[in-house]
Amino acid sequence: FDKHFINFGEVHYDQIAVAEIELFNEGRIPLDYCTMSAGDGSKPQPGELTVTPVEMGQVPPFSSRKLIIRYNPGVPAKFDKLFKVQVAHFEPDVIQVVGEGVFPRIKLDLPRYGDQDGFYA
């Protein structure tokens, strides 16, 4: 893998964050892989992590395969999720996904001008 840690940073709580990781095969034989502990590849529900391509696949020799990770926080809070990818017969690799769901807000400090009667416009 090109990385084992994905930091989405601040994500609007109702938006879907997307990242990619790449699985490389530098050998002469195809490698089978399967994703574990992740949802299906459809649109993620709030609080759910999804990975596409779904479940199983194969990486041809001397090539790579991209896995797309999607996460919808659902609530304005920090998140820390894990999922595993098992390549061939090796121990599963753990991929950590972190970030923070935020609620967009704005704070303005505008000047107020009163008229003769003390009313503000």
Side-chain angles (χ1 to χ4, degrees), residues 8 37-39 44 47-51 69-71 81-83 97:
F8 282 126
S37 306
E48 182 183 60
L49 182 75
T50 62
V51 179
I69 294 97
R70 291 182 177 85
Y71 185 72
K81 299 286 185 177
L82 299 173
F83 73 96
V97 179

Side-chain angles (χ1 to χ4, degrees), residues 32-68:
D32 294 322
Y33 69 90
C34 72
T35 59
M36 304 154 58
S37 306
D40 62 7
S42 65
K43 182 179 177 187
Q45 297 301 313
E48 182 183 60
L49 182 75
T50 62
V51 179
T52 51
V54 181
E55 295 185 16
M56 301 178 75
Q58 190 175 67
V59 184
F62 305 108
S63 65
S64 64
R65 176 85 57 204
K66 288 188 182 198
L67 300 177
I68 300 170

Side-chain angles (χ1 to χ4, degrees), residues 45-120:
Q45 297 301 313
E48 182 183 60
L49 182 75
T50 62
V51 179
T52 51
V54 181
E55 295 185 16
M56 301 178 75
Q58 190 175 67
V59 184
F62 305 108
S63 65
S64 64
R65 176 85 57 204
K66 288 188 182 198
L67 300 177
I68 300 170
I69 294 97
R70 291 182 177 85
Y71 185 72
N72 180 358
V75 294
K78 291 186 179 185
F79 58 87
D80 186 354
K81 299 286 185 177
L82 299 173
F83 73 96
K84 297 178 182 180
V85 179
Q86 183 169 7
V87 179
H89 61 281
F90 301 109
E91 288 289 320
D93 283 320
V94 177
I95 311 293
Q96 183 179 12
V97 179
V98 299
E100 183 176 7
V102 295
F103 184 79
R105 50 187 119 171
I106 187 168
K107 180 180 178 182
L108 298 175
D109 186 15
L110 300 174
R112 295 183 144 206
Y113 301 106
D115 61 8
Q116 301 160 347
D117 299 328
F119 294 108
Y120 293 102

